[in-house]
Short mmCIF file of all heavy atoms in Angstrom, two decimals:
data_model
loop_
_atom_site.label_atom_id
_atom_site.label_comp_id
_atom_site.label_asym_id
_atom_site.label_seq_id
_atom_site.Cartn_x
_atom_site.Cartn_y
_atom_site.Cartn_z
N VAL A 1 86.21 104.17 116.94
CA VAL A 1 87.01 104.99 116.05
C VAL A 1 87.94 104.12 115.23
O VAL A 1 88.82 103.46 115.82
CB VAL A 1 87.80 106.12 116.80
CG1 VAL A 1 88.60 106.95 115.83
CG2 VAL A 1 86.81 106.95 117.61
N ALA A 2 87.80 104.10 113.96
CA ALA A 2 88.66 103.26 113.06
C ALA A 2 90.01 103.90 112.91
O ALA A 2 90.18 105.13 113.12
CB ALA A 2 88.02 103.12 111.68
N PRO A 3 90.99 103.10 112.56
CA PRO A 3 92.31 103.67 112.30
C PRO A 3 92.23 104.59 111.07
O PRO A 3 91.31 104.50 110.28
CB PRO A 3 93.15 102.43 111.94
CG PRO A 3 92.45 101.28 112.57
CD PRO A 3 90.99 101.65 112.52
N GLY A 4 93.25 105.43 110.93
CA GLY A 4 93.37 106.30 109.77
C GLY A 4 93.77 105.55 108.53
O GLY A 4 94.03 104.36 108.57
N ARG A 5 93.82 106.25 107.43
CA ARG A 5 94.25 105.69 106.15
C ARG A 5 95.71 105.93 106.00
O ARG A 5 96.18 107.05 106.21
CB ARG A 5 93.47 106.37 105.07
CG ARG A 5 93.83 105.89 103.70
CD ARG A 5 92.98 106.69 102.70
NE ARG A 5 93.25 106.25 101.35
CZ ARG A 5 92.69 106.78 100.29
NH1 ARG A 5 91.85 107.81 100.44
NH2 ARG A 5 92.93 106.30 99.12
N PRO A 6 96.49 104.92 105.59
CA PRO A 6 97.92 105.14 105.30
C PRO A 6 98.03 106.22 104.23
O PRO A 6 97.25 106.29 103.29
CB PRO A 6 98.43 103.78 104.81
CG PRO A 6 97.46 102.81 105.42
CD PRO A 6 96.12 103.52 105.42
N SER A 7 99.02 107.10 104.37
CA SER A 7 99.18 108.18 103.39
C SER A 7 100.53 108.03 102.62
O SER A 7 101.37 107.29 103.01
CB SER A 7 99.12 109.51 104.10
OG SER A 7 100.14 109.65 105.02
N ASP A 8 100.61 108.78 101.54
CA ASP A 8 101.78 108.83 100.72
C ASP A 8 102.28 107.43 100.30
O ASP A 8 103.44 107.16 100.21
CB ASP A 8 102.94 109.54 101.40
CG ASP A 8 102.60 111.01 101.71
OD1 ASP A 8 101.73 111.60 101.01
OD2 ASP A 8 103.19 111.58 102.62
N ALA A 9 101.30 106.57 99.97
CA ALA A 9 101.67 105.20 99.55
C ALA A 9 102.27 105.22 98.13
O ALA A 9 101.78 105.87 97.23
CB ALA A 9 100.42 104.30 99.52
N ALA A 10 103.38 104.49 98.02
CA ALA A 10 104.09 104.39 96.73
C ALA A 10 104.71 103.01 96.60
O ALA A 10 105.21 102.44 97.56
CB ALA A 10 105.17 105.41 96.65
N LEU A 11 104.65 102.48 95.43
CA LEU A 11 105.13 101.10 95.18
C LEU A 11 106.38 101.13 94.29
O LEU A 11 106.41 101.79 93.27
CB LEU A 11 104.04 100.33 94.46
CG LEU A 11 104.16 98.83 94.32
CD1 LEU A 11 104.24 98.18 95.68
CD2 LEU A 11 103.00 98.26 93.55
N THR A 12 107.42 100.47 94.79
CA THR A 12 108.69 100.32 94.08
C THR A 12 108.96 98.83 93.96
O THR A 12 109.35 98.24 94.96
CB THR A 12 109.84 101.07 94.74
OG1 THR A 12 109.46 102.40 94.95
CG2 THR A 12 111.11 100.99 93.89
N GLY A 13 108.72 98.24 92.81
CA GLY A 13 108.86 96.82 92.64
C GLY A 13 107.87 96.09 93.55
O GLY A 13 106.68 96.27 93.39
N ALA A 14 108.38 95.30 94.51
CA ALA A 14 107.55 94.58 95.43
C ALA A 14 107.60 95.17 96.82
O ALA A 14 107.31 94.47 97.79
CB ALA A 14 107.95 93.11 95.46
N VAL A 15 107.94 96.42 96.95
CA VAL A 15 107.97 97.11 98.26
C VAL A 15 107.00 98.29 98.23
O VAL A 15 107.09 99.16 97.34
CB VAL A 15 109.41 97.61 98.59
CG1 VAL A 15 109.42 98.38 99.87
CG2 VAL A 15 110.38 96.45 98.63
N LEU A 16 106.08 98.26 99.21
CA LEU A 16 105.11 99.37 99.36
C LEU A 16 105.56 100.25 100.52
O LEU A 16 105.69 99.77 101.65
CB LEU A 16 103.71 98.74 99.63
CG LEU A 16 102.61 99.77 99.86
CD1 LEU A 16 102.36 100.59 98.60
CD2 LEU A 16 101.33 99.00 100.22
N ARG A 17 105.77 101.51 100.23
CA ARG A 17 106.19 102.48 101.29
C ARG A 17 104.97 103.41 101.52
O ARG A 17 104.26 103.74 100.64
CB ARG A 17 107.38 103.25 100.86
CG ARG A 17 108.68 102.51 100.83
CD ARG A 17 109.82 103.40 100.34
NE ARG A 17 111.16 102.85 100.36
CZ ARG A 17 111.54 101.65 100.11
NH1 ARG A 17 110.72 100.73 99.88
NH2 ARG A 17 112.85 101.32 100.13
N PHE A 18 104.80 103.76 102.82
CA PHE A 18 103.69 104.61 103.19
C PHE A 18 103.98 105.26 104.56
O PHE A 18 104.90 104.85 105.27
CB PHE A 18 102.43 103.77 103.29
CG PHE A 18 102.50 102.65 104.31
CD1 PHE A 18 102.02 102.84 105.61
CD2 PHE A 18 103.11 101.43 103.98
CE1 PHE A 18 102.11 101.80 106.51
CE2 PHE A 18 103.21 100.43 104.93
CZ PHE A 18 102.71 100.61 106.17
N LYS A 19 103.16 106.30 104.91
CA LYS A 19 103.23 106.87 106.24
C LYS A 19 102.13 106.21 107.07
O LYS A 19 100.98 106.10 106.66
CB LYS A 19 103.00 108.38 106.14
CG LYS A 19 104.22 109.09 105.62
CD LYS A 19 104.14 110.55 105.89
CE LYS A 19 105.44 111.22 105.34
NZ LYS A 19 105.37 112.60 105.34
N ALA A 20 102.55 105.80 108.24
CA ALA A 20 101.63 105.06 109.14
C ALA A 20 100.45 105.90 109.63
O ALA A 20 100.64 107.11 109.97
CB ALA A 20 102.43 104.58 110.36
N PRO A 21 99.28 105.32 109.64
CA PRO A 21 98.14 106.00 110.27
C PRO A 21 98.13 105.73 111.73
O PRO A 21 98.97 105.00 112.25
CB PRO A 21 96.93 105.36 109.57
CG PRO A 21 97.43 103.94 109.38
CD PRO A 21 98.92 104.04 109.04
N GLY A 22 97.21 106.29 112.44
CA GLY A 22 97.08 106.06 113.89
C GLY A 22 96.03 104.96 114.18
O GLY A 22 95.33 104.52 113.30
N ASP A 23 96.01 104.55 115.45
CA ASP A 23 94.99 103.61 115.94
C ASP A 23 93.59 104.21 115.86
O ASP A 23 92.65 103.59 115.54
CB ASP A 23 95.37 103.23 117.38
CG ASP A 23 94.30 102.44 118.07
OD1 ASP A 23 94.14 101.25 117.77
OD2 ASP A 23 93.59 103.00 118.90
N ASP A 24 93.49 105.47 116.25
CA ASP A 24 92.25 106.25 116.18
C ASP A 24 92.47 107.40 115.23
O ASP A 24 93.00 108.43 115.60
CB ASP A 24 91.86 106.76 117.56
CG ASP A 24 91.48 105.65 118.52
OD1 ASP A 24 90.97 104.61 118.04
OD2 ASP A 24 91.67 105.79 119.73
N LEU A 25 92.12 107.20 113.97
CA LEU A 25 92.38 108.14 112.87
C LEU A 25 93.89 108.41 112.80
O LEU A 25 94.65 107.57 112.34
CB LEU A 25 91.55 109.41 113.02
CG LEU A 25 90.06 109.20 112.87
CD1 LEU A 25 89.33 110.49 113.14
CD2 LEU A 25 89.73 108.68 111.51
N LEU A 26 94.32 109.59 113.22
CA LEU A 26 95.74 109.91 113.12
C LEU A 26 96.49 109.92 114.46
O LEU A 26 97.59 110.44 114.56
CB LEU A 26 95.90 111.29 112.43
CG LEU A 26 95.32 111.35 111.01
CD1 LEU A 26 95.41 112.80 110.48
CD2 LEU A 26 95.97 110.36 110.09
N CYS A 27 95.87 109.36 115.48
CA CYS A 27 96.45 109.37 116.82
C CYS A 27 96.79 107.91 117.27
O CYS A 27 96.02 106.98 117.03
CB CYS A 27 95.50 109.96 117.78
SG CYS A 27 95.01 111.66 117.49
N GLY A 28 97.96 107.77 117.85
CA GLY A 28 98.34 106.47 118.42
C GLY A 28 99.01 105.56 117.39
O GLY A 28 99.54 106.02 116.39
N THR A 29 98.99 104.28 117.67
CA THR A 29 99.68 103.26 116.84
C THR A 29 98.68 102.13 116.57
O THR A 29 98.11 101.61 117.51
CB THR A 29 100.90 102.73 117.53
OG1 THR A 29 101.79 103.82 117.83
CG2 THR A 29 101.66 101.72 116.66
N ALA A 30 98.53 101.77 115.30
CA ALA A 30 97.60 100.68 114.99
C ALA A 30 98.09 99.33 115.53
O ALA A 30 99.25 99.21 115.92
CB ALA A 30 97.49 100.58 113.43
N ASP A 31 97.21 98.37 115.56
CA ASP A 31 97.58 97.01 116.05
C ASP A 31 98.31 96.23 115.02
O ASP A 31 99.33 95.60 115.31
CB ASP A 31 96.31 96.28 116.45
CG ASP A 31 96.61 94.94 117.09
OD1 ASP A 31 97.21 94.90 118.21
OD2 ASP A 31 96.29 93.92 116.47
N HIS A 32 97.84 96.25 113.80
CA HIS A 32 98.52 95.55 112.66
C HIS A 32 98.04 96.08 111.35
O HIS A 32 97.09 96.84 111.29
CB HIS A 32 98.33 94.04 112.77
CG HIS A 32 96.96 93.53 112.60
ND1 HIS A 32 96.04 93.51 113.63
CD2 HIS A 32 96.31 93.08 111.53
CE1 HIS A 32 94.87 93.05 113.19
NE2 HIS A 32 94.98 92.76 111.91
N TYR A 33 98.69 95.62 110.26
CA TYR A 33 98.34 96.01 108.91
C TYR A 33 97.82 94.79 108.17
O TYR A 33 98.23 93.66 108.48
CB TYR A 33 99.52 96.57 108.14
CG TYR A 33 100.07 97.87 108.70
CD1 TYR A 33 101.42 97.97 109.06
CD2 TYR A 33 99.28 98.99 108.84
CE1 TYR A 33 101.94 99.13 109.50
CE2 TYR A 33 99.82 100.16 109.34
CZ TYR A 33 101.14 100.26 109.68
OH TYR A 33 101.66 101.40 110.18
#
């Protein structure tokens, strides 16, 4: 099961803000980005 897709991504200058996806779709915590 692949991680989910980051949501609500928005770029301000050189900073990318987003909502974290899960390790398994929307559940858990991913290993890295």
